[in-house]
Amino acid sequence: MPWQPYHAVWALLVFGWICNYVVRMAFSPLLEPVMAEFGLTHAQGGFLFSVFFYGYIAMQVPAGLLGDRFGRKRVLVIGILLVAVAALVTGLSGTLAVLALARLLTGLAQGMYFANDRPIIAAATPPDRLALGQGVSFSGLGIGTALGVLVGGALGEIMPWRQVFLLLMVLPLCSAALIGRFVSDPRKPGRGASGAHTAGAAVAAVFRLRDLWLLGIAGISPIWTQWLVGTWGPALFAEVGVRELGRSALYASVLGIAAPPGLLAVGALSDQLLWRWGTPRRTVVAGGIAATALLAATMGWIVQAQGPPWLLALVMFATSFCFWGTWAPAYALTAELAPGGAMGAAFGVLNSVAFVSSLVAPYVTGWIKDWSGSFAGACYLAALVGVVAVPVALRVGSPQTGRGPATHRH
């Protein structure tokens, strides 16, 4: 495929995601030394990790509304700069309270990115490559996850955990400079009373979209599994005998390594099934959730049986491939469902609903570990959440996009 202008937009937003996720995910391998310093249980450590998501979820819809009104790139760049500030505060934190506030600020800042970068991608990408574009651009999360876990684990072995964040704050500063210079806002916000009225009507329409809410509820499952693994991945490997911080982080980095192939493969598959055969995107979403549930249960069995680390890494890679891949058709479906003038709000609503599980999964997983002495039960619980989510995903309607084969809302 020859280079196109929208490829540059994809690449720069991928880099932005990488920088955000390195800062976010470096906390995962460093969680054990943080817990040791402050005397935290696994449940308390899981709650500390999840503080990030209180800010992240709270900012989803407001950030989308602000981007729809004042310009998506402007809000996105401000958010990236605040990520750097949050990394600085994390590195300077001297008490548990300050560290928790730094995690909250990190979540608020990164919450400004998603609801604005997804509409930029949707506007820049040709309709027949919409799911692929969402998948390619979202792969930065996986690359950033892998690098964050790897870098956090490696640096955590040679320097105090606070210094790691002081070093990493340089990354979002670079990203903000590049996106601010080279990415254009796809549309100017409406001006005047009529523009505000039109935008308000579009936002109101978003909140009435039953299918968007159903898609968000179904998305609770892959997010639950993602943040079970994203929070406790290194600890899962420690439970099967991998004691070194750097080595357990290396194994756990498969969580992020699986993201680019998962997003690209499932995104391309969704586009092909829709445009060639008329297969609704909801079918691909439901299939991804079902596969994630089965593999999460398999992870639980491996942990319970004290299986070899290489097998756990292989199944964790496959699990991650599936839950990352689920989001490519889900985000394409969101773009097709949403009114154009309120697409940021639509992505914000979707992420707000789906990420409710991120507030619960790290804590509940840690509590199960404290209570049972094993992470196996938490993996089985994640599988059960997936089983419940599959029929919800299948109830999402198929939008009439006016492009490709006819599809109808059911």
Side-chain angles (χ1 to χ4, degrees), residues 146-163:
L147 289 175
V149 173
L150 278 170
V151 170
L155 293 179
E157 290 191 334
I158 61 175
M159 65 177 64
W161 62 265
R162 290 179 178 85
Q163 291 184 16

Side-chain angles (χ1 to χ4, degrees), residues 214-224 285 289 327 350 353-355 357 389:
L214 287 173
L215 188 60
I217 292 169
I220 286 173
S221 169
I223 292 296
W224 184 294
V285 172
I289 293 172
W327 290 113
L350 175 75
V353 176
F355 264 80
S357 59

Side-chain angles (χ1 to χ4, degrees), residues 62 83 96 114 141 162 236 244 264 308 310 313 320 343 374 380:
V83 172
L96 183 60
F114 174 85
L141 282 76
R162 290 179 178 85
L236 285 169
E244 303 89 349
L264 271 62
W310 67 264
S320 303
M343 195 174 290
S374 174
Y380 296 141

Side-chain angles (χ1 to χ4, degrees), residues 1 12 22 33 123 126 161 167 181 216 295 298 312 320 363 365 393 403:
M1 182 190 303
L12 289 170
V22 168
W161 62 265
L167 185 62
R181 174 65 179 85
L295 289 161
T298 305
L312 179 60
S320 303
Y363 172 81
T365 301
R403 306 184 295 269

